[in-house]
Amino acid sequence: MVGDSNPKIIQIDGFTMEPLQLSDLDSLIAIWSDPEVTKFLPSRGVPIPKEKVEKALASFIEHWQKLGYGIWKIIEDETDKMLGYCGLRYLEELNEVELLYGLDKAYWGQGIATRTAKASVAYGFDEANLDRIIALALPENEASKKVIEKTGFKYEKQIHIFNLDGLYYSLER
């Protein structure tokens, strides 16, 4: 584990956040194969096929290289298991930076998404010098709306994106 010399690695009580790598493919496939996890993603409950996960992972890695911020894997220090992901992604469709997160269902409801979301936002403002970050959620995704609100985002409007009607939140530096 790299110490303070690598600002891309974030430690938060029992968890380590580090940029996703190609070796995380199987863990990401496992998370995105659960219909309850993908219920609120654009695939709407359909497990995401391996080819699409590979493409997403490659884009996450490239994102870090191009922009200096991106999506972290969340690793439980005790087990060294990847239990989800969280981070920031530039969304070309809106010309905005979006907070993104997802957890293996076994880790829902423990405050992990909120803690990693806050760490991601802090990194975005302090390290990546972003001025504004947005978050999107489906209206029926109560858990995600709570994470977004606890992280400090304010509801702005309804939005239609990725063929979905969603809620649009924003947070200024």
Side-chain angles (χ1 to χ4, degrees), residues 12-163:
I12 40 173
D13 51 316
F15 303 97
T16 301
M17 294 169 64
E18 54 186 66
L20 279 161
Q21 301 163 5
L22 288 174
S23 57
D24 299 317
L25 179 64
D26 290 342
S27 298
L28 200 53
I29 287 171
I31 291 166
W32 282 348
S33 67
D34 183 335
E36 285 196 65
V37 172
T38 60
K39 180 178 177 183
F40 299 117
L41 297 179
S43 75
R44 298 300 288 163
V46 176
I48 298 172
K50 183 179 181 180
E51 302 71 48
K52 279 195 172 175
V53 179
E54 284 173 342
K55 207 171 156 187
L57 185 57
S59 77
F60 291 160
I61 293 166
E62 187 184 344
H63 192 286
W64 271 106
Q65 293 163 350
K66 279 187 179 170
L67 300 171
Y69 63 89
I71 307 298
W72 287 269
K73 60 184 165 186
I74 305 165
I75 302 160
E76 186 176 42
D77 293 341
E78 199 177 298
T79 61
D80 213 28
K81 178 184 193 288
M82 177 178 153
L83 46 108
Y85 58 91
C86 184
L88 305 169
R89 170 178 72 164
Y90 174 72
L91 213 48
E92 218 168 277
E93 294 85 347
L94 298 173
N95 190 28
E96 299 261 25
V97 176
E98 173 194 21
L99 172 69
L100 203 64
Y101 49 85
L103 290 177
D104 183 308
K105 190 172 175 275
Y107 296 90
W108 288 4
Q110 298 175 32
I112 299 166
T114 301
R115 294 200 305 268
T116 56
K118 286 179 177 177
S120 299
V121 165
Y123 184 95
F125 291 145
D126 302 340
E127 300 288 337
N129 295 313
L130 301 172
D131 293 319
R132 174 182 165 86
I133 299 170
I134 66 160
L136 303 170
L138 292 171
E140 66 274 22
N141 191 344
E142 296 301 329
S144 200
K145 291 191 302 193
K146 277 186 194 145
V147 168
I148 290 167
E149 287 162 10
K150 283 182 186 172
T151 306
F153 287 82
K154 298 288 176 253
Y155 172 77
E156 249 182 70
K157 61 187 177 187
Q158 288 201 288
I159 185 173
H160 187 80
I161 188 168
F162 307 126
N163 232 6

